[in-house]
Amino acid sequence: MMALYDFVLAPFVDFGFMRRALLGACLLTLAASPLGVFLMLRRMSLTGDAMAHAILPGAALGFMFFGLNLLPMTIGGLVAGLLVAFGAGAVARLTVQREDASLAAFYLISLAFGVVLISVRGSSVDLMHVLFGSVLALDSGAMGLIGGVSLVTVVAMALLWRALVAECMDPLFFRTVSRLGGFVHFAFLGLVVLNLVAGFQALGSLMVVGLMMLPAAAARFWSARVGVITLLALGFGLLSSALGLLASYHWALPAGPSIILAAGVIYLVSMVAGRRGLLSTRPQARHRTA
């Protein structure tokens, strides 16, 4: 029992930075995992990854002028993410190019531009900080940002829940019978960008989308009901945060990637052993739509 306490609880009881890291990751999970569910159901999983990269040049511009300062980097990342999201949408509507192709082009340009900016202005340490985050060094400003974004996201998703589910089930029908179709779509994209910007302070622009998508993808192997998938994704995200931080503490691993690897292990186990996974005795359940 004592060994279990030393391994699981002692790191969080004895060290304030571990408690802050766990709280920050859990707050991020409360908003990011449900968003990941709807990204997955909308078949927009790679959109989240693209948007995570798209915030980099804005954060890099904030870094160039103000250093590793939370507010300028956050504002810059938010503006860059929104510009890429709406720019890709505009290109898809005004040209022959599909939205996925235009989004890929925009995010690749943004990623390369952001890395160049940070490399020119800073050092390799600064670049690693922005790309992979510093969840073990969250300060009160970062915690306040993550907490505020999580609160806004949870409230917004509660208000838009039925509309989001309806749009996932049949987007064309929903837009036909409701004038809220366009508003819900862009509000949802705005929430995704907002959470990616808040999360990159903790997990970095390359890792933050992992906490959004991997728990959601793992939960899909256990249920076909949206509400159940969302709750499972939330649970998997919280568990990944705790396991990843413990692995980081005990084996001196980078904290952000450890959290994502923990989520990856949960995904692989779910893929094999889930009710709709590879070992399911009801193969038809694996192909039933949510």
Side-chain angles (χ1 to χ4, degrees), residues 58-125:
L61 285 173
F63 169 76
M64 283 187 67
F65 291 103
F66 299 96
L68 291 173
N69 189 302
L70 175 64
L71 184 59
M73 292 179 69
T74 299
I75 294 174
L78 181 61
V79 171
L82 292 175
L83 284 176
V84 168
F86 296 132
V91 169
R93 285 162 175 79
L94 298 176
T95 70
V96 297
Q97 194 167 66
R98 292 169 58 91
E99 188 169 11
D100 59 340
S102 60
L103 185 60
F106 272 76
Y107 104 75
L108 288 170
I109 295 169
S110 297
L111 176 62
F113 184 50
V115 171
V116 168
L117 286 177
I118 297 173
S119 299
V120 169
R121 170 63 174 81
S123 65
S124 59
V125 174

Side-chain angles (χ1 to χ4, degrees), residues 205-223:
S205 64
L206 295 185
M207 293 285 106
V208 61
V209 74
L211 197 58
M212 188 174 284
M213 295 311 308
L214 283 171
R220 186 71 181 272
F221 288 116
W222 294 96
S223 178

Side-chain angles (χ1 to χ4, degrees), residues 148-209:
V149 169
S150 297
L151 178 61
V152 169
T153 303
V154 170
V155 172
M157 291 197 70
L159 294 174
L160 298 175
W161 178 265
R162 295 183 64 182
L164 288 170
V165 173
E167 192 179 26
C168 287
M169 298 301 103
D170 194 337
L172 293 178
F173 176 75
F174 177 70
R175 292 172 190 176
T176 301
V177 301
S178 174
R179 296 180 180 179
L180 293 177
F183 170 77
V184 170
H185 179 73
F186 286 109
F188 175 75
L189 286 180
L191 290 175
V192 171
V193 172
L194 194 61
N195 278 268
L196 292 173
V197 170
F200 97 92
Q201 293 289 334
L203 299 176
S205 64
L206 295 185
M207 293 285 106
V208 61
V209 74

